[in-house]
Amino acid sequence: MPRVLVIEDDETTAREIVAELTVHGMLAEWVANGREGFERASQRDYDLITLDRMLPGMDGIDVVAEMRRAQIDTPVLMISALSDVDDRVRGLRAGGDDYLTKPFAPDEMAARAEVLLRRRQPQPAQRLRVADLELDLVSHLAYRNGQPLTLLPTEYRLLEFLMRNSDQVLTRAMIFETVWGFHFDPGTNVIDVHIGRLRRKIDSAGQLALIHTVRGTGYMLTAAHDSLPVTS
């Protein structure tokens, strides 16, 4: 069971985070002070840390920066009421692995936590593979059933993100921020357009469909159809 340290000074938010992570099979511990959070992270082995941006005792930016200086490489999901791009960049440059703004949907937070947990697991050094779909990380070439696929640069980045997190539901916000690199605009259809193009290249007629839409949430790349979430 993954162990998560929740560093959050607002009790209501902290309880919400702990409850959602528990539902997703994680063991969460809560501390309300930045200094205490850093000390706990230094003394114990955690699989993930959720870190509030503004904390008493020690600011969230300082906490993650001190962790990285101390060679603590635990993935950090920063959570902040500050939504400007500059602050997000500061958090990521200090050593944060992802940045989520408040208010947030609990399932979005849990989905990001699961992605960070999976990212920490060893990945094949040269290739990613899901069923008969392969991605060569050195040559940046993709193959389906041994046949080469012609992908544009954005399509390659999108496919790599989907394959690195196969069997996981990825929200549109997660995809947009990772592949395009800036804050998600819920009014844009750019993700749906690129997913559609990628589908036509990967899931051609007669082949097992690998890219699936999770209604109201985002997308999932999987070869195991029985693992797909139930939607209404």
Side-chain angles (χ1 to χ4, degrees), residues 176-192:
F176 200 85
E177 291 175 12
T178 300
V179 177
W180 278 267
F182 49 94
H183 194 67
F184 176 61
D185 176 4
T188 183
N189 70 341
V190 66
I191 296 173
D192 307 281

Side-chain angles (χ1 to χ4, degrees), residues 208-219:
L208 175 71
L210 296 179
I211 300 176
H212 304 272
T213 301
V214 181
R215 190 179 308 165
T217 303
Y219 296 95

Side-chain angles (χ1 to χ4, degrees), residues 35 37-44 49 58 62-74 94-95:
R35 174 62 61 182
F38 172 70
E39 293 173 354
R40 188 79 66 89
S42 304
Q43 297 165 359
R44 304 183 186 180
I49 295 172
M58 191 175 184
D62 295 330
V63 171
V64 70
E66 285 296 317
M67 284 176 51
R68 298 316 185 212
R69 280 193 284 269
Q71 304 299 308
I72 301 170
D73 63 354
T74 308

Side-chain angles (χ1 to χ4, degrees), residues 114-115 117-130 135-138 140 156-168 170 178 221:
E114 288 178 333
V115 165
L117 287 170
R118 285 180 58 84
R119 191 182 298 171
R120 201 180 190 194
Q121 298 174 357
Q123 294 283 353
Q126 304 295 325
R127 290 194 173 211
L128 300 175
R129 184 182 180 93
V130 177
L135 194 65
D136 190 315
L137 301 176
V138 177
H140 285 202
Y156 173 87
R157 294 196 302 272
L158 177 57
L159 180 59
E160 180 182 357
F161 184 55
L162 292 171
M163 292 184 71
R164 284 191 182 277
N165 300 285
S166 61
D167 301 319
Q168 297 290 315
L170 301 175
T178 300
L221 188 145

